Amino acid sequence: MRQIPVDTSNATVMVAKAPQPKVKDRRTGEIAVDKDGVTLMTVEVMFSTPDEVEILKLTVPQPGVSEDLAMGTPVALTGLIASAWDNEFNGQKRHGIAFRAVAVTSLAAAASKPKAA
Protein backbone atom coordinates (compact mmCIF):
# COMPACT_ATOMS: atom_id res chain seq x y z
CA MET A 1 0.00 0.00 0.00
CA ARG A 2 1.32 3.43 -0.90
CA GLN A 3 2.65 5.64 1.85
CA ILE A 4 2.42 9.39 1.33
CA PRO A 5 4.73 11.76 3.24
CA VAL A 6 2.90 14.56 5.07
CA ASP A 7 4.43 18.04 5.05
CA THR A 8 4.34 19.49 8.58
CA SER A 9 6.43 22.61 7.87
CA ASN A 10 3.40 24.95 7.73
CA ALA A 11 1.50 23.34 10.62
CA THR A 12 1.17 23.91 14.34
CA VAL A 13 0.88 20.59 16.14
CA MET A 14 -0.19 20.03 19.76
CA VAL A 15 -1.07 16.94 21.76
CA ALA A 16 -4.86 16.47 21.92
CA LYS A 17 -4.77 13.31 24.03
CA ALA A 18 -1.87 11.79 25.99
CA PRO A 19 -0.16 8.75 24.40
CA GLN A 20 -1.71 5.34 25.02
CA PRO A 21 -0.53 1.86 24.06
CA LYS A 22 -2.16 0.86 20.76
CA VAL A 23 -4.60 -2.00 21.26
CA LYS A 24 -4.43 -4.70 18.58
CA ASP A 25 -7.45 -6.69 19.77
CA ARG A 26 -10.10 -4.97 21.90
CA ARG A 27 -11.61 -8.29 22.97
CA THR A 28 -8.37 -9.62 24.48
CA GLY A 29 -6.66 -6.31 25.27
CA GLU A 30 -3.59 -7.40 23.26
CA ILE A 31 -1.18 -4.50 22.68
CA ALA A 32 0.09 -3.89 19.13
CA VAL A 33 3.77 -4.30 18.33
CA ASP A 34 5.72 -3.71 15.11
CA LYS A 35 7.68 -6.34 13.18
CA ASP A 36 10.64 -5.90 15.56
CA GLY A 37 8.50 -6.44 18.68
CA VAL A 38 8.50 -2.74 19.66
CA THR A 39 5.31 -1.58 21.40
CA LEU A 40 3.22 0.82 19.32
CA MET A 41 1.58 3.87 20.84
CA THR A 42 -1.40 5.95 19.75
CA VAL A 43 -1.00 9.73 20.03
CA GLU A 44 -3.82 12.10 19.11
CA VAL A 45 -2.67 15.51 17.92
CA MET A 46 -4.32 18.73 16.82
CA PHE A 47 -2.86 19.46 13.38
CA SER A 48 -3.49 23.11 12.53
CA THR A 49 -2.68 24.84 9.24
CA PRO A 50 -3.74 28.35 8.20
CA ASP A 51 -6.75 26.82 6.40
CA GLU A 52 -8.01 24.12 8.78
CA VAL A 53 -7.65 22.21 12.03
CA GLU A 54 -7.94 18.43 12.36
CA ILE A 55 -7.43 15.86 15.07
CA LEU A 56 -5.16 13.09 13.81
CA LYS A 57 -4.63 9.75 15.52
CA LEU A 58 -1.02 8.71 14.98
CA THR A 59 0.70 5.37 15.48
CA VAL A 60 4.23 5.82 16.82
CA PRO A 61 6.80 3.29 18.11
CA GLN A 62 7.13 3.73 21.89
CA PRO A 63 10.82 4.83 21.78
CA GLY A 64 9.78 7.70 19.46
CA VAL A 65 7.34 9.21 21.95
CA SER A 66 8.72 12.00 24.18
CA GLU A 67 8.04 11.64 27.88
CA ASP A 68 5.52 13.93 29.57
CA LEU A 69 3.33 14.56 26.53
CA ALA A 70 0.18 16.08 28.00
CA MET A 71 -2.78 17.75 26.34
CA GLY A 72 -1.72 21.06 24.81
CA THR A 73 2.01 20.24 24.58
CA PRO A 74 3.45 21.62 21.31
CA VAL A 75 5.20 18.84 19.38
CA ALA A 76 7.23 18.14 16.26
CA LEU A 77 6.34 15.15 14.10
CA THR A 78 9.19 13.23 12.48
CA GLY A 79 8.58 11.05 9.44
CA LEU A 80 4.80 11.53 9.30
CA ILE A 81 3.16 9.44 6.57
CA ALA A 82 -0.43 8.77 5.52
CA SER A 83 -1.66 5.43 4.18
CA ALA A 84 -5.09 4.59 2.80
CA TRP A 85 -6.71 1.45 4.20
CA ASP A 86 -9.87 -0.56 3.66
CA ASN A 87 -11.31 -3.74 5.12
CA GLU A 88 -14.49 -5.69 5.49
CA PHE A 89 -15.80 -6.69 8.91
CA ASN A 90 -19.12 -8.44 9.48
CA GLY A 91 -20.12 -7.72 5.89
CA GLN A 92 -19.51 -3.99 6.15
CA LYS A 93 -16.81 -2.30 4.10
CA ARG A 94 -14.81 0.38 5.85
CA HIS A 95 -12.01 2.65 4.67
CA GLY A 96 -9.93 5.55 5.89
CA ILE A 97 -6.49 7.05 6.22
CA ALA A 98 -3.97 5.86 8.81
CA PHE A 99 -1.20 8.16 10.04
CA ARG A 100 2.15 6.92 11.32
CA ALA A 101 5.17 8.86 12.57
CA VAL A 102 8.69 7.84 13.50
CA ALA A 103 8.64 10.23 16.48
CA VAL A 104 6.53 12.77 18.36
CA THR A 105 8.88 15.15 20.15
CA SER A 106 7.89 17.73 22.75
CA LEU A 107 8.76 21.33 21.88
CA ALA A 108 7.81 22.59 25.36
CA ALA A 109 11.36 22.32 26.76
CA ALA A 110 12.80 24.18 23.77
CA ALA A 111 10.18 26.94 24.08
CA SER A 112 10.88 27.45 27.79
CA LYS A 113 14.68 27.72 27.51
CA PRO A 114 15.99 31.28 27.66
CA LYS A 115 17.57 32.48 24.45
CA ALA A 116 21.31 33.13 24.42
CA ALA A 117 22.30 36.74 23.99
Side-chain angles (χ1 to χ4, degrees):
M1 194 167 289
R2 180 167 165 95
Q3 297 179 339
I4 303 165
V6 178
D7 180 13
T8 61
S9 62
N10 199 27
T12 300
V13 185
M14 290 189 286
V15 174
K17 185 176 179 184
Q20 303 286 323
K22 182 176 178 135
V23 177
K24 179 178 181 179
D25 187 332
R26 291 184 196 150
R27 290 173 287 150
T28 64
E30 181 183 359
I31 302 300
V33 295
D34 67 10
K35 63 181 175 18
D36 298 320
V38 176
T39 299
L40 296 174
M41 304 293 286
T42 299
V43 183
E44 292 185 37
V45 297
M46 181 188 74
F47 191 91
S48 174
T49 64
D51 299 328
E52 63 185 299
V53 175
E54 291 193 49
I55 301 295
L56 303 180
K57 187 181 282 192
L58 313 176
T59 298
V60 186
Q62 189 172 29
V65 177
S66 284
E67 294 195 20
D68 301 328
L69 290 185
M71 187 186 316
T73 304
V75 292
L77 305 177
T78 303
L80 181 62
I81 57 167
S83 302
W85 61 268
D86 60 38
N87 65 23
E88 188 170 332
F89 185 73
N90 288 337
Q92 293 200 337
K93 292 185 178 185
R94 298 178 48 188
H95 63 276
I97 299 174
F99 293 93
R100 185 172 176 125
V102 172
V104 177
T105 309
S106 173
L107 297 176
S112 65
K113 288 183 183 174
K115 300 199 183 228

